Amino acid sequence: MTLQLCIAQLNFVVGDMTGNARKIIDAAHQAYAQGARVLVTPELAICGYAAEDLLLRPAFIDACDDALKTVARELAGLKGMHVVLGHPQGGGIQSKSVAITQRFNRASVLCEGQVVASYAKQELPNYQVFDERRYFTPGQQPCVFEVAGLKLGLLICEDAWFEAPAQKAREAGAQALLVLNASPFHVGKGLEREVQMSQRVKDCQLPLVYAHLVGGQDEVIFEGRSFAIDANAKVVARAPAFQECLQYIDLKADGATQGLRLSGREIVPESTWEEDLWHALVLGIRDYLGKNGFPGAILGLSGGIDSALVLALAVDAIGADKIHAVMMPSPYTADISWLDARDMVKRLNVRYDEIAIAPLFEGFKSALSDQFKGLAEDTTEENIQARVRGTLLMALSNKTGAIVLTTGNKSEMATGYCTLYGDMAGGFAVIKDVVKTQVFHLAEWRNKHDPYGTGANPIPERIITRPPSAELRADQKDQDSLPPYEVLDAIVRRYMENDEGIHALEADGFERADVEKVTRLIKLNEYKRRQSPVGIRVTHRSFGKDWRYPITNRFRA
């Protein structure tokens, strides 16, 4: 007999238990009509991932319990249908000084209105963006349930990265593993998961179905890309990335081995890192704006590559009709900057306005003239220009309700090559985790591809090829203040993302002056990053939840 299973790769909203339950109910009805008798949802599907300190509120857990009951009740009429539902369960004792956790990260099996089996996650991650030991108690027992004579074992996300939980399931009689997941995206993570899960299959000799979440939640992206691996550790199904879908898998008893054979209907091909990164950033913008109810976006378009890239991403994410680009030239703005900005908005059919900041800039200088008497102009005047621009953009945001998208990249965030309350002013930092060299690669990739049908070749070539400049003083170039971006970005990756020390970098041939400068700037500018907008995480370590350095600090590795 063949058992058809359906992976519900869906995009949930944290805290919208009613809406999330409805999505699961609708998916179950659709899967049942297609012949599936098992539906597997992602981790914590009922409440969305990650709910963070909402999990500490008793009323939140109660709402999750009510939503689970709603799903069970509304699917009770689907005879023989088993829905594996991710949800939190339990409470705890909490006061101002102590909290005793009794909550579990669970996967419960619903069938004909009843919870027929339930599993508690055993391995609770507490690294990078994860903080599950703050909220949950680890489970201890395996869970195996039977459908049509086939025995299926449950795991949740981190469990599958360790050998013991899978072995426990096997010892309890499991013939295949169903893994519920909410595993944050970073470039390369998709292949890493498949390699790791293939190894798990080899170790425990059980085929595996990996049901993954899709969607953006604040800084974190979940790319979907659910998959199934047969007993020979071969990928037999792979769902599309960065979109919702129902992925069907067939499970059939193998009489010769007493195991299960898995087969899928679709293996979506692997994609390039540029394609994955583009889709991740687009999804991050779309979900942050959509789930938080912003009607549109505003951004400062400078004629430089960072703002050009963010504009192209935003158009792909929410459409040209919801974008307002504003050029704010100063006395130091080159003619080619506003010419290229005008060219780009015409290509993308975006609303565009120009607001000259020279009168405002001169007004600030006049107001401060007595205070600055006898002092030479320096970065103070440069920062005033950036803050004038930030004020204008925020005024437009306040008046219209649209969110300001900031355009600073990771290289700038690392070194503080950005202005607090200036170009850092805004609500969402789209490329905060994208280093400058990747910005160039992405711009070139987008000009060769039109993945959302919003317009081919959107970024004028001169924007990509001209030397980058903040244009806050005459003849300014980024490399006047920073090492070449190829060097800077390599140091950021190794020192900031991978925790390598200064001596190791010097031993590998980096110039001591470059290493000293970049690492010193990373340390000095922690106070700026603490005040920057939330931004999309696309590496295994971003300047967000997984970077927790003190501002007051005298240590440098």
Side-chain angles (χ1 to χ4, degrees):
M1 176 183 176
T2 298
L3 172 67
Q4 188 176 109
L5 175 148
C6 178
I7 297 172
Q9 181 175 295
L10 300 175
N11 188 343
F12 298 104
V13 179
V14 167
D16 183 13
M17 276 68 88
T18 300
N20 296 341
R22 176 48 52 192
K23 272 198 168 187
I24 294 162
I25 292 164
D26 291 346
H29 278 288
Q30 184 176 340
Y32 191 81
Q34 294 295 317
R37 292 301 177 263
V38 177
L39 180 83
V40 186
T41 72
E43 179 179 8
L44 294 175
I46 205 71
C47 64
Y49 195 100
E52 301 185 56
D53 279 9
L54 288 171
L55 292 162
L56 302 178
R57 303 190 71 88
F60 185 82
I61 301 298
D62 290 344
C64 292
D65 292 343
D66 290 343
L68 183 142
K69 292 172 185 176
T70 297
V71 175
R73 182 177 63 252
E74 294 212 18
L75 296 179
L78 300 184
K79 186 173 178 60
M81 183 63 166
H82 294 71
V83 176
V84 184
L85 180 58
H87 66 103
Q89 187 185 59
I93 302 169
Q94 187 171 355
S95 69
K96 292 181 179 179
S97 58
V98 65
I100 301 173
T101 304
Q102 298 290 333
R103 270 171 250 98
F104 296 96
N105 183 339
R106 283 200 176 275
S108 291
V109 183
L110 312 181
C111 183
E112 299 179 13
Q114 303 295 318
V115 176
V116 298
S118 191
Y119 172 76
K121 186 175 184 178
Q122 299 179 57
E123 300 289 344
L124 302 178
N126 227 63
Y127 57 88
Q128 292 181 348
V129 297
F130 300 107
D131 208 8
E132 291 198 21
R133 294 177 198 171
R134 177 178 174 86
Y135 307 114
F136 298 117
T137 297
Q140 303 294 329
Q141 302 301 320
C143 177
V144 177
F145 67 103
E146 187 171 328
V147 184
L150 306 181
K151 295 181 178 180
L152 308 175
L154 295 179
L155 299 178
I156 300 177
C157 206
E158 190 81 358
D159 292 334
W161 293 73
F162 291 84
E163 188 172 351
Q167 289 295 347
K168 285 182 183 179
R170 178 180 174 84
E171 291 165 7
Q175 295 171 285
L177 299 174
L178 309 183
V179 188
L180 291 71
N181 298 274
S183 175
F185 167 83
H186 64 249
V187 173
K189 186 64 179 286
L191 178 59
E192 183 183 340
R193 288 193 204 99
E194 289 187 7
V195 169
Q196 185 67 29
M197 293 306 105
S198 294
Q199 186 59 51
R200 186 60 52 241
V201 167
K202 292 176 184 177
D203 291 342
C204 69
Q205 299 181 321
L206 295 177
L208 180 149
V209 175
Y210 192 100
H212 195 209
L213 179 65
V214 67
Q217 170 58 28
D218 295 344
E219 70 185 58
V220 179
I221 304 298
F222 303 95
E223 87 270 31
R225 202 175 180 269
S226 302
F227 56 88
I229 299 176
D230 68 11
N232 297 316
K234 179 183 177 182
V235 174
V236 295
R238 183 186 299 124
F242 305 104
Q243 64 186 65
E244 291 186 306
C245 72
L246 299 181
Q247 177 86 342
Y248 293 92
I249 312 293
D250 292 330
L251 294 82
K252 187 173 183 179
D254 188 332
T257 65
Q258 303 302 311
L260 292 183
R261 285 184 288 170
L262 266 62
S263 60
R265 300 180 185 179
E266 181 181 28
I267 303 178
V268 174
E270 297 279 358
S271 50
T272 65
W273 72 262
E274 294 98 336
E275 183 179 359
D276 278 349
L277 182 51
W278 189 269
H279 289 307
L281 294 168
V282 166
L283 180 58
I285 297 169
R286 182 185 299 134
D287 274 3
Y288 191 81
L289 272 63
K291 292 179 179 181
N292 287 294
F294 290 103
I298 298 168
L299 63 88
L301 190 63
S302 68
I305 192 165
D306 295 319
S307 62
L309 184 70
V310 172
L311 177 58
L313 286 161
V315 170
D316 278 3
I318 62 173
D321 60 322
K322 294 183 176 66
I323 307 293
H324 183 189
V326 184
M327 174 67 166
M328 296 166 284
S330 78
Y332 306 113
T333 302
D335 288 346
I336 59 173
S337 294
W338 58 261
L339 288 170
D340 289 343
R342 290 177 182 178
D343 182 7
M344 184 170 181
V345 295
K346 285 180 181 177
R347 297 184 188 198
L348 290 174
N349 196 29
V350 169
R351 178 186 170 186
Y352 172 76
D353 289 295
E354 293 179 3
I355 305 173
I357 70 165
L360 298 167
F361 179 39
E362 292 302 324
F364 270 96
K365 290 202 295 182
S366 176
L368 292 165
S369 60
D370 288 344
Q371 305 297 321
F372 291 175
K373 188 175 182 179
L375 301 176
E377 290 197 0
D378 55 16
T379 55
T380 305
E381 285 74 19
E382 295 179 27
N383 289 338
I384 288 173
Q385 295 170 69
R387 289 177 180 135
V388 167
R389 291 181 172 122
T391 299
L392 292 171
L393 292 175
M394 289 306 301
L396 292 169
S397 173
N398 293 161
K399 190 63 71 176
T400 64
I403 190 172
V404 174
L405 301 179
T406 65
T407 60
N409 60 63
K410 189 172 191 175
S411 309
E412 295 168 349
M413 285 289 161
T415 58
Y417 196 67
C418 46
T419 302
L420 198 57
Y421 324 122
D423 55 320
M424 293 174 68
F428 198 51
V430 175
I431 56 172
K432 182 179 182 177
D433 200 29
V434 181
V435 293
K436 190 76 168 192
T437 47
Q438 286 181 320
V439 168
F440 284 103
H441 281 298
L442 278 182
E444 291 170 349
W445 181 88
R446 178 61 181 86
N447 272 2
K448 295 174 184 175
H449 304 83
D450 186 12
Y452 296 90
T454 58
N457 198 39
I459 302 174
E461 185 66 20
R462 187 165 54 191
I463 290 179
I464 299 173
T465 58
R466 65 182 292 203
S469 169
E471 294 191 329
L472 296 173
R473 65 173 183 266
D475 301 319
Q476 185 180 25
K477 300 290 185 294
D478 288 4
Q479 256 60 82
D480 297 341
S481 306
L482 300 171
Y485 280 116
E486 293 78 8
V487 174
L488 169 57
D489 292 350
I491 294 172
V492 169
R493 283 198 175 99
R494 294 182 59 174
Y495 179 82
M496 178 264 168
E497 295 179 10
N498 297 330
D499 285 327
E500 294 187 40
I502 290 172
H503 296 308
L505 293 170
E506 291 175 359
D508 280 353
F510 288 95
E511 294 290 337
R512 181 178 182 84
D514 290 339
V515 175
E516 285 289 333
K517 183 169 193 173
V518 173
T519 57
R520 177 177 173 273
L521 289 172
I522 289 173
K523 177 180 180 294
L524 288 178
N525 286 286
E526 185 61 35
Y527 80 99
K528 280 190 181 181
R529 291 189 292 269
R530 289 287 187 95
Q531 300 178 70
S532 65
V534 63
I536 303 170
R537 176 187 185 270
V538 293
T539 66
H540 70 273
R541 194 176 202 185
S542 67
F543 286 119
K545 292 179 183 176
D546 41 357
W547 176 266
R548 305 181 190 183
Y549 272 59
I551 297 171
T552 307
N553 162 36
R554 293 184 180 178
F555 177 79
R556 187 154 56 101

